[in-house]
Amino acid sequence: MTVRSIAAAAATLAVLCGCAPPAAPTNDPSASPTTTAASSNPFSLFTHCGIYEIQVQHTFFVADQPLDDGHGNPPAGWANPYQPGTITVAGFTAVFHDDTGHAVTFHERPGATSFLRTCS
């Protein structure tokens, strides 16, 4: 095939693709996009060295306000090494809640593949 043949074929294809009639509007509500409500799932928050970050499935999140007792332990009133509760992920935010009233908000670290800190 010559360069002219390739150029002619490309031009014809571009014209044909651009000439389709507009799609007919639809009144079918099932075809409309839907939003999914965020759901809470049971979650054991690792607290042993303080509360800094979490991993939910394959996504890493960092605490908006890290929590510790100043000596690398969880703050008073938190279980050690884990605090049972629930996690709710909505968009780039994850919120941990427990039955004692604790709440911690985390934000996603896009592209992260590991934790920022390790705990011994």
Side-chain angles (χ1 to χ4, degrees), residues 16-118:
L16 290 174
C17 290
C19 293
T26 180
N27 291 329
D28 180 7
S30 65
S32 300
T34 58
T35 56
T36 303
S39 61
S40 295
N41 294 302
F43 191 80
S44 291
L45 178 65
F46 185 69
T47 61
H48 182 63
C49 292
I51 302 161
Y52 295 95
E53 53 192 330
I54 60 172
Q55 181 181 6
V56 180
Q57 294 180 353
H58 301 291
T59 303
F60 290 88
F61 295 82
V62 64
D64 285 358
Q65 295 182 342
L67 302 171
D68 68 29
D69 70 351
H71 301 286
N73 300 302
W78 289 82
N80 188 355
Y82 291 95
Q83 180 76 31
T86 60
I87 196 78
T88 303
V89 178
F92 300 107
T93 304
V95 180
F96 173 84
H97 290 277
D98 65 18
D99 291 339
T100 63
H102 297 123
V104 182
T105 301
F106 298 85
H107 278 89
E108 182 179 342
R109 290 180 42 231
T113 57
S114 64
F115 289 106
L116 291 169
R117 307 169 58 142
T118 55

